[in-house]
Amino acid sequence: MAAETATRIKVKSLNKATITIRATLLVLAVATVFGFLTFDYKDLNFFDAIFKTAQTFKTVLFEPHFKHFTFPEAVYKVFVTIGLAFLTTLFGAAVSLFLGLFAARNLTTRAISNVIRGCVAFIRAVPTVLWVLIFAVSAGLGSVAAVVGMSFHTIGYLVKAYSESFEEMDEGVIEALKASGANWWQIVFQAVIPGTITYLLSWTFLRFEINFAVAVAMGAAAGAGGIGFDMFMASVFYYDLREVGVITYFILIFAILLEIFATRLKRKLGVNA
């Protein structure tokens, strides 16, 4: 009897969603195989390409050196990139906290929530680099356009994250405060934000890590400066793979340090909360 029950549990009936997912995966697999078979490789020796790619990775990872800048200059450039990410996250989080309160369906009307959610969905749909280039038309290429453009995408990301965190609040707590005569702002500052502070911190630090990586790319694409611009110059202008290796290690080390710092800070604030 137990064996029959286990067998019944393992059997899954095919529904419309399952069939659609499997058909989509099959089409993608067939398209991938077809693309590899029909791609024009221009008489490329596949094994020779793999060997040369391995040599390139060996040069980048195991033979790093400084040539066009010094160690202190590299540290300074990394802090410039961190500064871009920090400003972007700070501006985006401040605006997103306010908009997220009005986007949460349990704190506002459905009409206001839908309008805000629709706007931020449009913001998220536009890539970060495109927002940066849009603002570069008026502000010019540089750190200003990068911060404003990155802030737009950060707002689109965090409003959704914050509002969904607010919606996870226990409705009984909100209703109890309303019954006791608390106004909307008292509910927000006495129940909603204290009850979701750990989630807000987690989403904010996650976005900060994303913004650090984006700031590296924007340093090259938008001339925002920082370590990303030096990587662009080393890889495209100088074609110095060893210097690219140094920059890669700098970015990796600082990314790990940021993760450690964020984890410890979240733990400390989470306990205090």
Side-chain angles (χ1 to χ4, degrees):
M1 188 68 180
E4 292 180 0
T5 304
T7 305
R8 290 179 182 177
I9 293 175
K10 292 181 180 179
V11 175
K12 293 182 179 180
S13 60
L14 291 176
N15 52 31
K16 187 176 180 180
T18 305
I19 294 174
T20 303
I21 293 173
R22 292 183 180 180
T24 303
L25 293 175
L26 179 62
V27 171
L28 291 175
V30 172
T32 302
V33 173
F34 178 78
F36 275 110
L37 293 177
T38 59
F39 188 78
D40 185 6
Y41 291 96
K42 301 290 184 181
D43 299 324
L44 176 68
N45 188 326
F46 187 72
F47 294 101
D48 184 56
I50 293 177
F51 176 73
K52 290 184 177 179
T53 301
Q55 283 186 321
T56 299
F57 275 104
K58 175 179 175 293
T59 302
V60 170
L61 298 177
F62 298 104
E63 301 176 16
H65 72 172
F66 290 98
K67 186 175 181 180
H68 297 94
F69 57 90
T70 62
F71 181 85
E73 290 174 343
V75 173
Y76 170 74
K77 295 294 181 65
V78 172
F79 276 105
V80 170
T81 302
I82 293 176
L84 292 174
F86 177 78
L87 286 176
T88 300
T89 307
L90 180 64
F91 296 153
V95 176
S96 299
L97 181 62
F98 180 76
L99 293 178
L101 292 170
F102 291 96
R105 293 189 176 95
N106 59 341
L107 297 175
T108 186
T109 62
R110 182 172 293 274
I112 296 176
S113 175
N114 290 338
V115 169
I116 296 176
R117 286 172 179 266
C119 292
V120 296
F122 169 75
I123 293 174
R124 286 196 309 273
V126 179
T128 305
V129 64
L130 187 55
W131 280 119
V132 173
L133 294 177
I134 289 173
F135 287 103
V137 174
S138 57
L141 290 174
S143 57
V144 175
V147 170
V148 176
M150 290 166 59
S151 296
F152 257 72
H153 206 273
T154 300
I155 292 170
Y157 181 94
L158 289 181
V159 168
K160 178 178 174 60
Y162 288 174
S163 62
E164 291 180 353
S165 298
F166 296 148
E167 289 175 354
E168 294 296 324
M169 278 287 301
D170 185 5
E171 287 290 337
V173 176
I174 298 177
E175 292 298 328
L177 287 173
K178 287 181 179 179
S180 64
N183 58 35
W184 190 83
W185 289 108
Q186 289 174 330
I187 293 173
V188 167
F189 287 109
Q190 294 180 14
V192 177
I193 293 180
T196 58
I197 187 65
T198 54
Y199 298 103
L200 300 183
L201 289 172
S202 297
W203 284 114
T204 303
F205 280 116
L206 176 61
R207 186 64 208 190
F208 176 67
E209 294 168 7
I210 295 173
N211 284 340
F212 176 73
V214 173
V216 173
M218 291 303 102
I227 200 69
F229 182 75
D230 288 293
M231 175 172 279
F232 170 76
M233 295 296 291
S235 60
V236 177
F237 192 75
Y238 304 123
Y239 196 66
D240 190 341
L241 296 178
R242 293 175 175 84
E243 196 164 70
V244 171
V246 168
I247 297 172
T248 301
Y249 279 119
F250 263 86
I251 295 172
L252 179 62
I253 290 170
F254 273 84
I256 293 173
L257 292 176
L258 287 176
E259 176 64 23
I260 295 172
F261 172 76
T263 302
R264 290 184 177 180
L265 186 60
K266 283 187 292 186
R267 189 180 304 163
K268 181 178 179 181
L269 293 177
V271 171
N272 292 337

